Amino acid sequence: MSGHDFIDALVIVVHEEGGYVDDARDPGGATNLGVTARTWMSWSGKPASETVMRGLTPGKVGPLYRAWYWDKVGGDALPVALALAVFDFAVNAGPAAAIRVLQGIVGAPVDGQCGQTTARAIDTYASRIGLAKLIDRFSAARRDFYRQRTEFPVFGKGWLARVDRIEGVALSWVG
C-alpha cells in the first residue's frame, strides 16, 4: 500500500484543474477547480453566478468530487495509484467514460459501472501484468480517447500533458 488516499488524489486533481476559467471554446463554460457552473448548480441546488464560481475552494468542491467522481469509479476499491488515474479521467471526461476505458482494457463487460465483476477483472489483469503496466495501458487508452475528441485541436496538447503528469504521479505511487 502506498499510503495515499482520496485526499492526496483530490489535491493533485484540483491542482491539474486550476482556477477560474470561462473559455468560449470550452463547452463546459464557466469552470473553477474543474467544476462547471452547471455541475455546481446540480450539486448545490443553487444558482452558480460568476461570483459563486470564483468563490469555490478545494474544501467546497471536495465532497462533490468524492461523491460524483471518486465513489462512482470505485476509488476506494481500486489500488490507489490506479484510482488516481481513473479519478482524474472521470473528472475530465465523466465517470462512465473512465470506467468504460478501464473495462475495455481489463476485459470486463463495458457498462460504465465499477461493480464486483469489474473489480475482479482489474485484480486479475493487474496480477497478470502488474499494476504499473495497467496504469501505462490505461494512460495510453486515455490519450487515444482524447485524440478522437472534436476539441482535440484546441485542448489536446494540454490534455496529453495532463495524462503524462498524472501517469507519472500514479506510477510513483505504485511503490
Side-chain angles (χ1 to χ4, degrees), residues 28-162:
T31 304
N32 193 6
L33 304 176
V35 178
T36 65
R38 185 173 43 250
T39 298
W40 189 253
M41 285 188 333
S42 292
W43 172 257
S44 69
K46 298 176 184 172
S49 66
E50 181 177 338
T51 302
V52 167
M53 291 303 296
R54 287 184 181 276
L56 295 181
T57 65
K60 288 179 182 176
V61 302
L64 180 154
Y65 272 123
R66 179 176 268 288
W68 284 12
Y69 301 97
W70 181 267
D71 289 347
K72 289 208 175 170
V73 300
D76 287 336
L78 298 173
V80 71
L82 178 62
L84 168 63
V86 178
F87 171 53
D88 184 67
F89 191 22
V91 167
N92 196 247
I99 291 299
R100 282 192 301 268
V101 166
L102 182 59
Q103 288 169 326
I105 293 166
V106 301
V110 179
D111 64 4
Q113 303 291 316
C114 193
Q116 290 181 358
T117 301
T118 297
R120 281 192 301 274
I122 292 166
D123 288 344
T124 299
Y125 194 85
S127 294
R128 190 167 34 102
I129 70 162
L131 183 56
K133 189 70 168 170
L134 175 53
I135 291 167
D136 285 341
R137 289 183 182 175
F138 181 79
S139 298
R142 186 175 174 187
R143 288 180 191 96
D144 290 343
F145 174 92
Y146 288 130
R147 286 184 182 106
Q148 296 172 20
R149 301 286 307 235
T150 58
E151 305 95 334
F152 188 80
V154 176
F155 301 110
K157 185 176 178 182
W159 289 337
L160 297 180
R162 177 176 176 159

